[in-house]
Amino acid sequence: MGLAAAGALPWLVNAYVISLAATALVMAVLAMSAQLLVGWAGLAPLGQAAYLVVGAYTAASIATATSLGPLQLLAATAAGAVAAAVTGLLAVRARGTTFLMVTFGLGELVHAAANQWAPGGSEGVHAPPVVALPGLPPMVRPGWVYLYVLACTLVIGVAVAILVRTRFALLLRGIAAHEPRVQAAGHHTGWMLLAAYTLAGGIAGAAGALAIAVTRYVSPADAAMGISALALAAALIGSGSMTGACAGAILLVAARDWASGLLGGHGPTLLGLAFLLLAYLPRHRLAGLTTRFPRRRT
């Protein structure tokens, strides 16, 4: 029922709401990236927007040669994974609050590097409309862009659902619960966490390609901490569930953007209040917020 409603959205609402829905889907993919680390590896990242920006700039660069969306998506996913693999060598050495601060620092470094060396500098770059499949025209209508992003989000969601049902994901949960015990069983936890961090970076890179499809624009501002914080908050709202993380991202984007119009531009205030509520609400209450979603770890 929910999937049918999501598919019918372009015929039910105006172009502004459709664009917001597409943006929410992009943030849902980024929230899945954060949830892989938070909910499975027990590591809270505050720099996933950095890999989103790496993916977005990669997609924008690929767009100069081809507007084929799936190709841009694959290239952005690979670029995000490579960037995460390199920076993760430093990040996964830390745990707890230190890991949070290391990922925040890495995100700020990417932000600064994009300002200095990325095409367009602080002004960013524009990209042409994406093409969903060879032979089809470029997608310029918000409804078609939304449906493309929805289809890509579902594909990514299925891939992530398969990933979190593997033995690798179970070992990540073991590391989060008691890392020395997993090490005693003969597993190299450092390499496993690096693999998880790399996969999370690839998912974030895919979110960057989808962001390019929605806005046709990327700038260093997209690596700002606020975007990473929103993804982390959505993951925490999800309480270890990928479905919950996606729902949290959609709710937070609605609070930030849609509610802003209803409250006379005070949407960011509402978002800040949501973050405070998240910080002080007990974890068992947070889990209760997502009980209406499937309880399987998807």
Side-chain angles (χ1 to χ4, degrees):
M1 180 67 71
L3 182 59
L9 194 65
W11 291 273
L12 301 175
V13 297
N14 59 36
Y16 173 70
V17 175
I18 293 171
S19 296
L20 286 185
T23 300
L25 290 175
V26 172
M27 289 308 305
V29 174
L30 190 63
M32 284 192 277
S33 167
Q35 185 66 293
L36 181 61
L37 296 174
V38 176
W40 271 260
L43 300 173
L46 196 56
Q48 292 307 98
Y51 308 115
L52 179 147
V53 163
V54 169
Y57 272 108
T58 300
S61 299
I62 294 293
T64 61
T66 176
S67 295
L68 190 60
L71 185 59
Q72 295 178 17
L73 183 65
L74 291 174
T77 301
V82 170
V86 173
T87 55
L89 291 171
L90 174 63
V92 300
R93 294 176 179 272
R95 301 291 185 273
T97 304
T98 305
F99 178 84
L100 186 80
M101 297 309 298
V102 168
T103 54
F104 166 72
L106 290 172
E108 290 301 298
L109 287 174
V110 171
H111 187 187
N115 269 305
Q116 187 70 29
W117 294 301
S122 60
E123 298 297 323
V125 294
H126 293 269
V130 299
V131 175
L133 294 171
L136 295 180
M139 293 180 293
V140 294
R141 293 179 178 272
W144 290 115
V145 174
Y146 164 79
L147 290 175
Y148 167 75
V149 173
L150 176 62
C152 292
T153 300
L154 291 174
V155 170
I156 294 169
V158 169
V160 171
I162 294 172
L163 171 65
V164 299
R165 285 177 169 81
T166 61
R167 183 171 180 269
F168 172 71
L170 290 176
L171 288 171
L172 289 180
R173 286 196 179 278
I175 293 172
H178 198 273
E179 186 173 354
R181 180 174 296 179
V182 179
Q183 291 174 334
H187 299 286
H188 196 301
T189 57
W191 287 115
M192 294 182 67
L193 290 175
L194 179 61
Y197 195 84
T198 300
L199 289 169
I203 298 169
L210 298 182
I212 282 289
V214 174
T215 63
R216 293 184 240 161
Y217 174 76
V218 58
S219 76
D222 293 322
M225 187 194 72
I227 297 176
S228 294
L230 192 149
L232 176 57
L236 294 174
I237 289 173
S239 297
S241 163
M242 284 294 177
T243 305
C246 292
I250 292 170
L251 290 173
L252 290 174
V253 170
R256 184 192 65 181
D257 299 338
W258 180 69
S260 180
L262 300 179
L263 300 177
H266 294 290
T269 302
L270 182 60
L271 184 61
L273 292 174
F275 284 170
L276 288 174
L277 178 64
L278 173 65
Y280 286 99
L281 198 64
R283 291 293 292 170
H284 70 277
R285 295 286 185 84
L286 285 175
L289 292 176
T290 55
T291 54
R292 66 181 59 190
F293 298 101
R295 295 305 298 166
R296 292 182 300 172
R297 303 292 184 178
T298 56

